[in-house]
Structure formats: C-alpha cells, structure tokens
Amino acid sequence: SVQQALQSVHPALQGLLYTNIILTGGVASCPGFTQRFTSELQPLVPDDYALGVHTPADPALCAWEGMSAFVASGHFRQLAMTKAEYEETGGSRGHLR
C-alpha cells in the first residue's frame, strides 16, 4: 500500500512524500477516485504530516510526459547506461555517475 511504502523510507523524507502524492494512470481519471483515495489514506497518515494528493490534468499520459521531458532535458544522457555497461558493471555503476 501507499502508506506502507511511505513508512519504509527515512523518516526525514516521509513528510515531504505524504504531501506530494501524484495519482497517475487511467484509473486516476475515474470520477471520484482522487476523493476516495484521499479519504481512505487520510486516517493512516500520522497526525504530524499533511496529506497532499494531486491528480494531473491527464493522468493517463502524465508518466509518459514526465519521462519524455526528462529525456529531452539532457540529464538522461548523463544518467543512462548501455546494456553492455550494465552487463559489465551491474546496476551499481548508475549510482556512481
């Protein structure tokens, strides 16, 4: 669940993450989904954290648009690794770049 995922991160980050939940995918477009999600998650949120649930204008395309912007920004080339690099060094090399 979302609450379990948020509880698994460092406590210093939890407040930030609770206030920045973004609902993406086609199901986020269903009428009342954001309100239901919020009302079911709110009782699970610790009292010292605010809850912020956001639904983009087009949740079905939001993830694609975000990745498209990232690739176009130039940062992708700095962080990407080829299959050969991955096979040679494993995924840990990506953390060192």
Side-chain angles (χ1 to χ4, degrees):
S1 80
V2 172
Q3 195 267 343
Q4 289 171 327
L6 293 175
Q7 289 296 316
S8 71
V9 301
H10 192 279
L13 297 175
Q14 290 177 6
L16 177 65
L17 295 176
Y18 273 112
T19 61
N20 289 292
I21 297 172
I22 301 173
L23 301 178
T24 63
V27 74
S29 298
C30 293
F33 181 79
T34 301
Q35 293 78 12
R36 181 175 176 183
F37 180 90
T38 303
S39 67
E40 290 185 12
L41 184 58
Q42 185 65 62
L44 305 174
V45 176
D47 291 336
D48 49 337
Y49 297 135
L51 178 62
V53 177
H54 312 280
T55 305
D58 190 350
L61 289 178
C62 180
W64 183 88
E65 291 171 336
M67 191 59 167
S68 176
F70 171 65
V71 169
S73 74
H75 295 292
F76 178 75
R77 285 199 179 276
Q78 296 170 345
L79 299 171
M81 79 172 38
T82 66
K83 181 180 178 190
E85 288 174 321
Y86 180 81
E87 289 173 347
E88 180 183 327
T89 63
S92 63
R93 181 165 181 228
H95 297 290
L96 300 174
R97 284 183 164 203

